[in-house]
């Protein structure tokens, strides 16, 4: 997951491949609560690993459930419908799928068995309404105190042992704001159905019915057979109790599938996008997104456990659609509308305003920023595709679905954007709520032209600190890192291990083309083994120096260096990155620390490792190497004509990084400065 301030997506030009979805958030948190309330243990397979499930797991532990986790499975030992902890404070982040059901369950349990529980979250959680659920619970006899604004969290639920619930008359709850209020009651009220039926009546039109279908389906898996009269009346039979199914599998998240179905519709021109984990047998209502994608022209084939998508009609066909059944996935339709042949109108989305952010206002603002014409109201959004796309820094509002859906705007070259423009996603870590590895997954599927991928080169003499600086700049931007000197040392190490003739340029070039290399911060992996320490061996360095003059080796490693130019971007350090390898780099930096300062740094490094050294000898060696590097006939050490010179003799690493990032910001193509 990218835990940085912003992530820049270069213009992307195609996509293909297979994605395995993380578990469904809606199913995961419902299953966890049901498993926690049931008697015995439930093994959950494929549970979503995210912020929302983390707060639910923490809450269940606090409430006395024992949780065991191993590879691929989570075992929940339930409390059997009775409290083992009677006083607790629960922090639930911004997880509505935890806040609403736990409020209902703990209100019922505290009334029956006594207890005092406070439930709170992040500031946005305290702006998300819960008043309709509170209004439904209070007539039952539940004591609920609103600790902030009326109708919103934080809340305190409490009661004395031996209380009773007034379930003789139907419990009434509004259904036109959020279906989570009804879901919360359905999950909690089997606790009150020992002696008699418990009936819930929905006031008004129920929205997001497919999410209620998920709830009913999972209740049945845990032994609760709810009787439904249309969408207005639900009856929990007397004698209902939670029975563990023993094991349960969480299917992939259908809302997350929407991004990859849309990706296929937009960008899968040569080979399909295959989405594994959901399909025609899914219990999630957001799978209806597939029908909407087909209406816009996508070529979609559904199987029981996967969905295969290719681009069909292009541009996509504009549509008008009531999105009440698929409110989360509808956000993806809003971004698909940017690629349509006319204005698209999405209705039935009033619930967007009470989600992680006011999604109607947020989507209108960000699509406008990209160049679209947008009209938005209380229950609709109308999007006309951009006439001219604009490079935009997208605000995500701490909303995972804003970040993921709007990332698809980076495929604007396919819409004929001239020139193609990058997209900046602010606060990309917000995807941790449901899909922590979303951007890594997107980059694995997407492709683009090398010229679109931004490059920063950092060149300089030996021991100038270019490797450390490149690592930190790459980390700050979320870019890949290339240490070109390590490539020569890695090739030398591989040749020594495999007894390749180090005087044969042809043999070494063939080996170079077979190398499997990966940088991870300061570490380099060769053939799945971390070899950073081995690369510093004197024999490896000597061999690297000798093979670096061979033309066949330089050409082979030149090709390998170019292959590191991948989305979202690259920071490359070496001696000729800006002059030879990436002459079109957007930013070129050349370090000019003095030999005396570099010798002092190297001396301190060696002494700290217990290695004896002579500072005068180190300086003389560096000066001699500088002279050799500057006089080389091939790729001599010199700054590119357009390089910015950075004398880091007296600068800390942090100050050097800040300077490079400041220069990079000045290169920003974003209309608002990023």
């Amino acid at each position: 997951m990218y835990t940085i301030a912003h992530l820049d997506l270069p213009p992307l030009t195609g996509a293909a491949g297979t994605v395995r979805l993380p578990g469904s958030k809606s199913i995961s948190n419902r299953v966890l609560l049901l498993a926690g309330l049931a008697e015995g243990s439930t093994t959950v397979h494929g549970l979503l690993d995210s912020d929302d499930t983390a707060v639910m797991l923490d809450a269940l532990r606090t409430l006395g459930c024992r949780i065991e986790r191993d590879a691929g499975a989570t075992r929940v030992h339930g409390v059997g419908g009775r409290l083992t902890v009677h006083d607790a404070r629960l922090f639930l982040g911004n997880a509505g799928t935890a806040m609403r059901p736990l409020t209902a369950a703990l209100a019922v349990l505290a009334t029956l068995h006594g207890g005092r529980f406070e439930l709170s979250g992040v500031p946005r959680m305290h702006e998300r309404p819960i008043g309709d659920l509170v209004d439904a619970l209070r007539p039952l006899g539940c004591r609920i105190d609103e600790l902030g604004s009326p109708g919103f969290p934080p809340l305190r639920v409490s009661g004395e042992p031996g209380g009773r619930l007034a379930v003789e008359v139907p419990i009434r709850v509004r259904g036109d704001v959020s279906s989570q209020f009804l879901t919360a009651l359905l999950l909690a009220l089997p606790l009150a159905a020992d002696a008699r039926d418990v009936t819930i009546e929905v006031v008004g039109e129920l929205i997001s019915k497919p999410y209620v279908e998920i709830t009913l389906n999972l209740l049945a898996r845990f032994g609760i057979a709810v009787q439904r009269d249309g969408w207005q009346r639900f009856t929990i039979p007397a004698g209902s109790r939670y029975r563990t199914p023993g094991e349960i599998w969480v299917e992939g998240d259908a809302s997350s599938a929407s991004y990859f179905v849309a990706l296929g519709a937009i960008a899968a021109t040569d080979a399909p996008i295959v989405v594994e984990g959901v399909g025609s047998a899914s219990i999630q209502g957001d799978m209806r997104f597939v029908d909407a994608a087909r209406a816009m022209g996508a070529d979609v084939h559904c199987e029981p456990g996967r969905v295969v998508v290719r681009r069909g009609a292009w541009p996509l066909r504009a549509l008008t659609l009531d999105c009440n059944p698929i409110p989360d996935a509808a956000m993806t339709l809003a971004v698909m509308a940017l690629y349509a042949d006319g204005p698209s109108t999405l209705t039935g989305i009033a619930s967007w305003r009470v989600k992680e952010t006011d999604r109607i206002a947020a989507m209108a603002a960000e699509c406008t920023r990209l160049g679209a014409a947008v009209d938005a109201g209380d229950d609709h959004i109308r999007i006309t595709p951009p006439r001219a796309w604009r490079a935009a820094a997208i605000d995500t509002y701490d909303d995972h679905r804003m970040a993921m859906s709007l990332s698809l705007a980076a495929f604007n070259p396919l819409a004929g954007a001239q020139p193609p423009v990058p997209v900046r996603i602010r606060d990309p870590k917000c995807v941790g709520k449901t899909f922590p590895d979303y951007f890594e997954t997107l980059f694995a599927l997407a492709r683009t032209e090398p010229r679109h991928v931004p490059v920063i080169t950092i060149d300089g003499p030996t021991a100038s600190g270019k490797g450390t600086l490149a690592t930190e700049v790459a980390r700050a931007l979320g870019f890949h890192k290339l240490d070109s000197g390590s490539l020569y040392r890695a090739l030398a190490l591989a040749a020594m291990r495999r007894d390749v003739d180090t005087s044969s340029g042809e043999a070494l070039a063939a080996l170079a083309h077979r190398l499997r290399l990966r940088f991870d911060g300061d570490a380099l992996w060769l053939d799945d083994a971390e070899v950073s320490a081995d690369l510093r061996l004197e024999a490896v360095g000597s061999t690297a120096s000798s093979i670096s003059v061979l033309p066949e080796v330089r050409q082979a490693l030149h090709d390998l260096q170019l292959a590191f130019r991948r989305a979202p971007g690259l920071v490359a350090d070496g001696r000729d990155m800006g002059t030879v390898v990436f002459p079109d780099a957007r930013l070129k930096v050349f370090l000019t620390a003095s030999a005396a300062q570099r010798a002092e740094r190297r001396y301190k490094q060696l002494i700290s490792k217990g290695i004896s050294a002579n500072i005068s000898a180190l300086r003389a060696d560096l000066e001699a190497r500088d002279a050799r590097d500057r006089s080389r006939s091939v790729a001599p050490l010199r700054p590119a004509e357009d390089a910015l010179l950075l004398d880091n003799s007296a600068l800390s690493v942090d100050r050097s990084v800040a300077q490079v990032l400041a220069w990079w910001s000045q290169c920003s193509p974003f209309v608002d400065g990023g």
Side-chain angles (χ1 to χ4, degrees):
M1 183 167 65
Y2 289 90
T3 57
I4 53 180
H6 60 256
L7 178 64
D8 291 346
L9 311 183
L12 302 173
T13 57
T18 299
V19 56
R20 179 72 187 181
L21 295 171
S24 162
K25 178 189 74 169
S26 298
I27 294 176
S28 290
N29 268 355
R30 285 166 170 83
V31 164
L32 285 177
L33 180 57
L34 289 168
L37 292 172
E39 186 174 352
S41 66
T42 304
T43 300
V44 186
H45 300 276
L47 185 73
L48 173 65
D49 184 6
S50 73
D51 294 346
D52 279 18
T53 52
V55 296
M56 178 64 90
L57 285 165
D58 286 344
L60 293 178
R61 289 188 187 98
T62 300
L63 295 170
C65 296
R66 184 159 57 92
I67 310 291
E68 299 172 307
R69 305 198 74 177
D70 54 37
T74 300
R75 187 169 294 102
V76 181
H77 299 269
V79 298
R82 300 189 67 84
L83 289 171
T84 58
V85 173
H86 292 265
D87 194 333
R89 292 185 176 183
L90 305 179
F91 176 79
L92 302 173
N94 198 13
T97 56
M99 175 65 75
R100 276 76 177 259
L102 280 168
T103 294
L106 290 174
V108 170
L109 287 168
T111 302
L112 294 173
H113 306 298
R116 175 188 172 95
F117 304 94
E118 291 187 8
L119 301 92
S120 64
V122 299
R124 175 58 187 171
M125 188 75 251
H126 297 170
E127 297 172 352
R128 300 177 65 180
I130 200 169
D132 291 329
L133 178 60
V134 171
D135 290 344
L137 290 167
R138 279 176 172 156
L140 286 167
C142 298
R143 187 189 309 160
I144 304 175
D145 299 314
E146 293 149 311
L147 305 180
S149 301
F152 298 88
L155 304 172
R156 181 191 301 118
V157 300
S158 58
E160 302 299 327
R164 62 177 299 275
L165 293 164
V167 295
E168 297 83 5
V169 297
I171 297 99
R172 294 168 61 82
V173 64
R174 284 182 60 183
D176 56 354
V177 174
S178 172
S179 65
Q180 287 183 4
F181 302 147
L182 173 59
T183 279
L185 294 173
L186 288 167
L187 293 173
L189 287 175
L191 295 164
D194 282 344
R196 62 180 304 145
D197 292 353
V198 176
T199 299
I200 305 167
E201 290 184 350
V202 176
V203 178
E205 178 68 22
L206 178 63
I207 65 171
S208 305
K209 296 180 182 71
Y211 286 95
V212 178
E213 288 184 308
I214 293 174
T215 303
L216 297 175
N217 185 295
L218 294 175
L219 280 165
R221 294 292 308 276
F222 280 84
I224 311 295
V226 178
Q227 299 163 9
R228 178 169 69 86
D229 182 6
W231 293 103
Q232 300 304 122
R233 188 179 179 92
F234 301 81
T235 301
I236 300 168
S240 292
R241 54 191 296 270
Y242 308 100
R243 298 181 180 88
T244 176
E247 292 186 292
I248 191 166
W249 278 258
V250 177
E251 63 183 58
D253 190 85
S255 300
S256 295
S258 71
Y259 313 123
F260 300 101
V261 172
L263 177 60
I266 295 166
T269 54
D270 300 326
I273 294 291
V274 180
V275 185
E276 296 181 340
V278 294
S280 56
S282 173
I283 67 171
Q284 297 171 78
D286 269 357
M287 282 304 295
R288 299 182 189 183
F289 175 86
V290 166
D291 296 330
R294 285 192 181 114
M296 295 190 78
D299 178 359
V300 188
H301 176 65
C302 284
E303 300 172 8
R306 68 177 197 161
V307 180
V308 181
V309 194
R310 292 178 174 84
R311 183 199 276 186
W314 192 257
L316 296 175
R317 293 192 287 264
L319 87 169
T320 297
L321 185 69
D322 180 356
C323 298
N324 185 295
I326 54 168
D328 285 347
M331 296 183 69
T332 312
L333 290 177
V335 180
M336 290 177 71
L338 298 172
Y339 297 95
D341 57 7
S344 294
T345 303
L346 310 180
T347 64
I349 57 172
S351 64
W352 279 18
R353 294 201 180 275
V354 296
K355 297 284 188 175
E356 283 79 349
T357 188
D358 180 343
R359 287 176 170 170
I360 294 180
M363 187 62 76
E366 303 314 312
C367 287
T368 299
R369 201 186 300 266
L370 287 162
V374 182
D375 171 65
D378 291 339
D379 193 37
H380 80 276
I381 190 167
R382 179 180 172 86
I383 297 173
T384 301
R387 292 184 177 179
W389 286 75
R390 295 198 290 258
I394 299 297
D395 285 323
T396 52
Y397 309 84
D398 195 26
D399 187 337
H400 55 135
R401 302 210 183 279
M402 287 292 295
M404 292 187 281
S405 58
L406 281 157
S407 70
L408 299 176
F411 290 86
N412 61 83
L414 300 172
Q418 294 296 329
V421 296
V423 174
R424 172 168 289 178
I425 302 293
R426 290 183 170 131
D427 188 27
K429 68 179 181 299
C430 67
V431 301
K433 184 176 176 68
T434 52
F435 201 153
D437 296 330
Y438 171 76
F439 287 107
E440 291 86 347
T441 303
L442 176 65
F443 291 139
L445 299 172
R447 66 175 184 270
T448 189
E449 298 174 25
R451 64 189 177 91
H452 292 325
V453 179
V455 176
I456 300 173
T457 62
I458 301 177
D459 288 314
T462 299
S464 58
K466 56 185 178 290
T468 300
L469 179 57
T471 295
E472 294 306 315
V473 170
R475 182 177 291 121
L477 296 174
F479 284 8
H480 301 289
K481 183 219 172 183
L482 167 61
D483 175 357
S484 63
S486 291
L487 297 188
Y488 285 95
R489 292 190 291 275
L491 178 59
L493 177 63
M496 293 165 65
R497 287 179 171 179
R498 302 178 192 185
D499 294 326
V500 174
D501 182 0
T502 56
S503 65
S504 170
E506 183 178 348
L508 289 167
L511 176 60
H513 289 302
R514 299 196 302 271
L515 288 182
R516 292 189 296 117
L517 296 173
R518 175 172 61 87
F519 286 97
D520 184 5
D522 289 326
L524 187 144
W525 292 70
L526 172 63
D527 295 335
D528 299 323
E530 206 272 320
V531 296
S532 301
D534 294 334
L535 298 185
R536 291 191 289 269
L537 295 173
E538 184 176 349
V540 173
S542 176
T543 303
S545 179
S546 66
I547 68 175
S548 67
V549 300
L550 300 174
E552 299 94 337
V553 170
R554 296 195 65 82
Q555 183 59 53
L557 290 186
H558 181 271
D559 295 341
L560 181 59
Q561 290 167 31
L562 294 178
F564 276 83
R565 191 171 189 170
R566 305 189 305 272
L570 176 67
V571 180
D573 79 78
R575 292 183 177 85
D576 59 358
M577 294 295 97
T579 54
V580 175
V581 183
F582 300 108
D584 62 340
R586 189 180 299 168
L587 173 63
K588 301 173 186 175
V589 177
F590 191 88
L591 302 183
T592 62
S594 67
Q597 180 63 39
R598 288 182 281 135
E600 183 178 346
R601 289 176 184 166
R602 178 64 61 86
Y603 177 78
K604 290 179 179 178
Q605 289 174 348
L606 293 172
I607 294 300
S608 69
K609 296 175 182 178
I611 303 173
S612 62
N614 180 286
I615 194 167
S616 297
L618 289 171
R619 177 173 177 174
D621 178 64
L622 289 173
E623 288 174 339
R625 293 183 67 172
D626 289 351
R628 289 197 304 270
D629 288 340
R630 285 194 295 266
S631 62
R632 288 189 310 189
S633 59
V634 178
L637 175 65
R638 60 178 175 80
E641 291 184 1
D642 53 348
L644 299 177
L645 304 183
L646 177 60
D647 182 357
N648 61 340
S649 299
L651 297 181
S652 66
V653 172
D654 288 344
R655 288 182 61 190
S656 297
V657 171
Q659 180 60 72
V660 174
L661 293 178
W663 284 335
W664 182 245
S665 180
Q666 294 169 13
C667 301
S668 170
F670 299 102
V671 293
D672 62 356

